[in-house]
Amino acid sequence: MADTMQFDLVSPERRLASLPVSAVRLPGAEGEMTAMPGHAPVITTLRPGVLRIESPEGTSEFVVTGGFAELGGESMSVLAEKAVPLSEMTRAHLDELIEDARTAHEAAKAAPEVEQNLVDEAAKLLADMEALGDHMSL
């Protein structure tokens, strides 16, 4: 088994990372998950949280608001809805993300004949974004 795997993190705005890594801890929709070289192939959705990359150069962290991760034995790609290096995250930026989630939740609640699961998903996104701020101590 190889010591590293290729990792790519992209968002609609830019490519944030493309490097060999030894492990990636990601906020999966079903819970935290760590992927290492040789991991069984899987595709999973992401919830808001901190994605941590361990590479030969050191550890990097990114805030993601959701998206998808595809793992293969020798590579991993993360397509994030929004992603920001943790070192660049400010309270103002987090407040903007929380307000976007709050607006989406209010719109889902106000929409006529909206499926309840969409309202629940919007409420979960809002709760996750608020918890992210507490976790990051911003």
Side-chain angles (χ1 to χ4, degrees):
M1 181 167 87
D3 291 338
T4 62
M5 65 180 171
Q6 178 60 34
F7 174 79
D8 294 291
L9 170 61
V10 296
S11 71
E13 296 86 23
R14 62 184 170 157
R15 180 189 313 198
L16 290 107
S18 181
L19 69 159
V21 299
S22 55
V24 178
R25 183 173 178 193
L26 54 122
E30 302 297 322
E32 295 290 319
M33 176 180 182
T34 300
M36 301 171 79
H39 194 285
V42 67
I43 296 176
T44 187
T45 55
L46 303 177
R47 65 175 168 72
V50 176
L51 183 144
R52 176 175 289 134
I53 302 166
E54 295 176 21
S55 72
E57 291 82 35
T59 300
S60 301
E61 296 180 309
F62 298 87
V63 174
V64 296
T65 61
F68 298 91
E70 178 183 19
L71 292 83
E74 302 307 317
S75 66
M76 177 178 187
S77 297
V78 173
L79 309 171
E81 293 171 3
K82 293 183 184 177
V84 177
L86 184 61
S87 61
E88 295 177 14
M89 181 61 77
T90 63
R91 183 72 221 188
H93 193 207
L94 181 63
D95 287 344
E96 180 183 321
L97 295 173
I98 291 171
E99 187 55 36
D100 289 347
R102 184 172 286 116
T103 300
H105 182 233
E106 292 302 322
K109 289 193 313 186
E113 298 184 33
V114 68
E115 301 266 341
Q116 183 59 42
N117 66 330
L118 295 177
V119 175
D120 293 344
E121 287 176 18
K124 175 77 170 115
L125 174 64
L126 176 58
D128 283 345
M129 292 305 302
E130 290 171 338
L132 182 59
D134 294 339
H135 173 74
M136 294 180 357
S137 301
L138 287 179

